[in-house]
Amino acid sequence: SRVSGYLIGCLSDFHLIDNEKRKSERVAQTFRPLGLVTTLLAYDLHFRGFADNSLISHSDWKLFGFNERDVRDELKRLSRNGYFLIQTANDVVRIGWNYNSWEELLNVILES
């Protein structure tokens, strides 16, 4: 029972279950990575040399449970933050990257 308590506490700390005190009725929450995490992964793949379409279909996105459509939708949503500009038409993706190095990107993130 101690281990299950630790597990429930961990899930609650990471907001993967609700924080209601009714222990018998806790509900699993939908996991969504922070926008910053998604942005950093996109830039990581870009800096590693993946083309825009390859970046969208990369297997690393599966760590978050994303399929290609989820990635496109998430990057469209995040493009409002100004880190990149994404254009899609059917299966063709074009991403305009606003920063050319980790240093530039991280400086902008730290300033905001």
Side-chain angles (χ1 to χ4, degrees):
S1 85
R2 258 189 336 180
V3 172
S4 64
Y6 294 144
L7 179 58
I8 289 172
C10 182
L11 292 171
S12 180
D13 289 346
F14 285 96
H15 304 286
L16 296 174
I17 60 174
D18 66 11
N19 288 323
E20 295 293 321
K21 295 301 176 192
R22 293 170 284 149
K23 295 180 180 182
S24 64
E25 298 180 16
R26 293 196 183 223
V27 177
Q29 303 295 314
T30 303
F31 175 75
R32 177 183 215 132
L34 295 173
L36 182 58
V37 172
T38 305
T39 300
L40 292 174
L41 177 55
Y43 264 95
D44 180 55
L45 294 170
H46 169 66
F47 290 148
R48 289 179 14 203
F50 287 91
D52 297 342
N53 281 328
S54 298
L55 181 145
I56 297 294
S57 61
H58 196 276
S59 63
D60 282 1
W61 296 109
K62 292 179 183 174
L63 294 170
F64 302 122
F66 287 172
N67 60 33
E68 290 181 35
R69 184 177 187 166
D70 296 332
V71 175
R72 279 194 301 272
D73 291 346
E74 188 69 9
L75 293 181
K76 283 180 189 178
R77 187 181 70 77
L78 291 171
S79 69
R80 291 181 244 151
N81 295 339
Y83 296 116
F84 49 80
L85 175 66
I86 183 169
Q87 298 171 319
T88 62
N90 294 328
D91 291 335
V92 179
V93 175
R94 170 73 174 107
I95 302 174
W97 302 97
N98 293 342
Y99 306 103
N100 297 316
S101 69
W102 277 113
E103 185 176 6
E104 285 181 47
L105 175 63
L106 294 176
N107 282 335
V108 169
I109 290 170
L110 292 174
E111 289 175 2
S112 58

mmCIF file of all heavy atoms in Angstrom, residues 3 36 43 63-64 66 72 79 96 99:
data_model
loop_
_atom_site.group_PDB
_atom_site.id
_atom_site.type_symbol
_atom_site.label_atom_id
_atom_site.label_comp_id
_atom_site.label_asym_id
_atom_site.label_seq_id
_atom_site.Cartn_x
_atom_site.Cartn_y
_atom_site.Cartn_z
ATOM 1 N N VAL A 3 3.742 1.641 -1.649
ATOM 2 C CA VAL A 3 4.174 1.868 -3.027
ATOM 3 C C VAL A 3 3.047 2.482 -3.852
ATOM 4 O O VAL A 3 3.262 3.421 -4.611
ATOM 5 C CB VAL A 3 4.677 0.562 -3.672
ATOM 6 C CG1 VAL A 3 4.948 0.748 -5.151
ATOM 7 C CG2 VAL A 3 5.926 0.067 -2.962
ATOM 8 N N LEU A 36 6.771 24.779 -24.396
ATOM 9 C CA LEU A 36 8.214 24.970 -24.481
ATOM 10 C C LEU A 36 8.931 23.662 -24.793
ATOM 11 O O LEU A 36 9.872 23.628 -25.588
ATOM 12 C CB LEU A 36 8.751 25.578 -23.181
ATOM 13 C CG LEU A 36 10.239 25.879 -23.140
ATOM 14 C CD1 LEU A 36 10.626 26.837 -24.257
ATOM 15 C CD2 LEU A 36 10.613 26.458 -21.791
ATOM 16 N N TYR A 43 12.954 22.255 -32.477
ATOM 17 C CA TYR A 43 14.244 22.867 -32.808
ATOM 18 C C TYR A 43 15.372 21.843 -32.751
ATOM 19 O O TYR A 43 16.289 21.875 -33.574
ATOM 20 C CB TYR A 43 14.546 24.059 -31.891
ATOM 21 C CG TYR A 43 14.151 25.375 -32.517
ATOM 22 C CD1 TYR A 43 12.913 25.949 -32.232
ATOM 23 C CD2 TYR A 43 14.993 26.040 -33.398
ATOM 24 C CE1 TYR A 43 12.543 27.160 -32.809
ATOM 25 C CE2 TYR A 43 14.631 27.241 -33.982
ATOM 26 C CZ TYR A 43 13.402 27.795 -33.684
ATOM 27 O OH TYR A 43 13.040 28.977 -34.267
ATOM 28 N N LEU A 63 6.782 9.783 -28.112
ATOM 29 C CA LEU A 63 6.992 9.855 -26.659
ATOM 30 C C LEU A 63 5.853 10.611 -25.984
ATOM 31 O O LEU A 63 5.529 10.370 -24.823
ATOM 32 C CB LEU A 63 8.320 10.549 -26.340
ATOM 33 C CG LEU A 63 9.583 9.833 -26.769
ATOM 34 C CD1 LEU A 63 10.793 10.750 -26.616
ATOM 35 C CD2 LEU A 63 9.766 8.564 -25.960
ATOM 36 N N PHE A 64 5.246 11.543 -26.716
ATOM 37 C CA PHE A 64 4.141 12.338 -26.189
ATOM 38 C C PHE A 64 2.792 11.819 -26.661
ATOM 39 O O PHE A 64 1.763 12.437 -26.394
ATOM 40 C CB PHE A 64 4.296 13.797 -26.619
ATOM 41 C CG PHE A 64 5.586 14.416 -26.191
ATOM 42 C CD1 PHE A 64 6.455 14.941 -27.127
ATOM 43 C CD2 PHE A 64 5.946 14.466 -24.857
ATOM 44 C CE1 PHE A 64 7.643 15.514 -26.740
ATOM 45 C CE2 PHE A 64 7.137 15.030 -24.458
ATOM 46 C CZ PHE A 64 7.984 15.558 -25.397
ATOM 47 N N PHE A 66 1.931 11.689 -29.802
ATOM 48 C CA PHE A 66 1.536 12.475 -30.968
ATOM 49 C C PHE A 66 1.678 11.669 -32.249
ATOM 50 O O PHE A 66 2.691 10.992 -32.449
ATOM 51 C CB PHE A 66 2.418 13.713 -31.118
ATOM 52 C CG PHE A 66 2.169 14.811 -30.119
ATOM 53 C CD1 PHE A 66 3.020 15.900 -30.069
ATOM 54 C CD2 PHE A 66 1.115 14.774 -29.230
ATOM 55 C CE1 PHE A 66 2.819 16.927 -29.165
ATOM 56 C CE2 PHE A 66 0.893 15.792 -28.321
ATOM 57 C CZ PHE A 66 1.752 16.873 -28.293
ATOM 58 N N ARG A 72 1.490 18.539 -36.311
ATOM 59 C CA ARG A 72 1.159 19.717 -37.124
ATOM 60 C C ARG A 72 0.250 20.670 -36.351
ATOM 61 O O ARG A 72 0.493 21.880 -36.308
ATOM 62 C CB ARG A 72 0.491 19.301 -38.431
ATOM 63 C CG ARG A 72 1.452 18.855 -39.492
ATOM 64 C CD ARG A 72 0.792 18.782 -40.857
ATOM 65 N NE ARG A 72 -0.341 17.862 -40.891
ATOM 66 C CZ ARG A 72 -0.254 16.560 -41.159
ATOM 67 N NH1 ARG A 72 0.919 16.038 -41.425
ATOM 68 N NH2 ARG A 72 -1.321 15.799 -41.158
ATOM 69 N N SER A 79 3.054 28.259 -33.026
ATOM 70 C CA SER A 79 3.650 29.268 -33.900
ATOM 71 C C SER A 79 3.232 30.677 -33.485
ATOM 72 O O SER A 79 3.920 31.643 -33.796
ATOM 73 C CB SER A 79 3.296 29.004 -35.359
ATOM 74 O OG SER A 79 1.927 29.233 -35.598
ATOM 75 N N GLY A 96 9.276 27.946 -41.132
ATOM 76 C CA GLY A 96 10.242 29.044 -41.139
ATOM 77 C C GLY A 96 10.814 29.170 -39.731
ATOM 78 O O GLY A 96 10.086 29.480 -38.786
ATOM 79 N N TYR A 99 15.216 31.207 -35.458
ATOM 80 C CA TYR A 99 16.514 31.227 -34.776
ATOM 81 C C TYR A 99 17.422 30.174 -35.395
ATOM 82 O O TYR A 99 16.990 29.087 -35.739
ATOM 83 C CB TYR A 99 16.325 31.002 -33.266
ATOM 84 C CG TYR A 99 15.344 32.009 -32.710
ATOM 85 C CD1 TYR A 99 14.033 31.643 -32.422
ATOM 86 C CD2 TYR A 99 15.719 33.326 -32.556
ATOM 87 C CE1 TYR A 99 13.116 32.579 -31.976
ATOM 88 C CE2 TYR A 99 14.803 34.279 -32.109
ATOM 89 C CZ TYR A 99 13.511 33.898 -31.820
ATOM 90 O OH TYR A 99 12.610 34.834 -31.392
#
